[in-house]
Amino acid sequence: MQAQLVETTNKAVLQTCILTFEARPAAFALPVYMKCTSYFSRSQEVHFMKQASCIMEENSQEKEKSPLRLLREQAGLTRPQVKQHIGVSERMQADWESGKSMPTVENVAALANLYQVSLKTMFELLGLDVTKIPDDLPSRSPSGQEK
């Protein structure tokens, strides 16, 4: 009877810790983990860590969608479809969306055309400072004459 009560109590503590962990930002993960694991057996600790890592992964995926990914999704396109339109691998697109690399100017222009946004908007979404770039002006020829 005593062992059952301890096991039930430990399960309740485990569930409380998991719920507490879910409600906290990732920065609080370690303190919650340290406080909670003092109540756990080794198998419960492993269970908690598996659940906690799944929760952290879900939270980071929801919160950290890049502006490029959001723009692609708003256009209703998948990476394979973007590949068909502009000829860039899905891996390279993933690197752009994660910030691991930057697209070339030609690819930025192709994406702007595909997503129907201005180049200035594209550069801003890529994290570049565009505050000093003027908005689009009427087209001018190289000699300064308006077309």
Side-chain angles (χ1 to χ4, degrees), residues 1-145:
M1 185 68 136
Q2 183 75 14
Q4 250 183 342
L5 182 59
V6 170
E7 186 177 330
T8 304
T9 303
N10 283 346
K11 285 181 181 178
V13 169
L14 174 65
Q15 189 60 39
T16 301
C17 287
I18 289 170
L19 292 174
T20 303
F21 188 85
E22 287 176 352
R24 304 260 188 222
F28 293 100
L30 187 58
V32 170
Y33 167 74
M34 296 302 287
K35 183 176 181 182
C36 292
T37 55
S38 63
Y39 296 101
F40 300 160
S41 67
R42 180 67 185 142
S43 63
Q44 288 173 321
E45 185 176 340
V46 169
H47 174 73
F48 173 76
M49 287 309 295
K50 285 180 183 176
Q51 284 194 296
S53 66
C54 289
I55 292 164
M56 286 179 67
E57 187 176 321
E58 286 172 12
N59 289 344
S60 68
Q61 286 175 355
E62 289 173 13
K63 292 179 184 175
E64 296 182 23
K65 283 188 178 180
S66 75
L68 279 180
R69 180 176 174 182
L70 291 172
L71 194 58
R72 176 178 54 79
E73 289 174 351
Q74 286 172 356
L77 297 170
T78 62
R79 286 186 186 140
Q81 291 169 325
V82 172
K83 179 182 176 180
Q84 286 179 330
H85 286 282
I86 66 170
V88 174
S89 73
E90 295 170 45
R91 176 75 254 156
M92 189 164 286
Q93 293 174 55
D95 287 347
W96 297 342
E97 289 178 2
S98 70
K100 289 181 184 175
S101 67
M102 293 284 279
T104 63
V105 174
E106 293 84 6
N107 288 326
V108 172
L111 289 170
N113 185 40
L114 180 62
Y115 300 147
Q116 296 295 294
V117 297
S118 71
L119 286 172
K120 186 175 179 179
T121 299
M122 284 300 299
F123 286 122
E124 187 174 26
L125 292 174
L126 290 168
L128 300 173
D129 182 13
V130 295
T131 55
K132 294 182 181 178
I133 298 175
D135 291 329
D136 292 336
L137 301 172
S139 297
R140 296 184 182 258
S141 66
S143 64
Q145 302 288 328

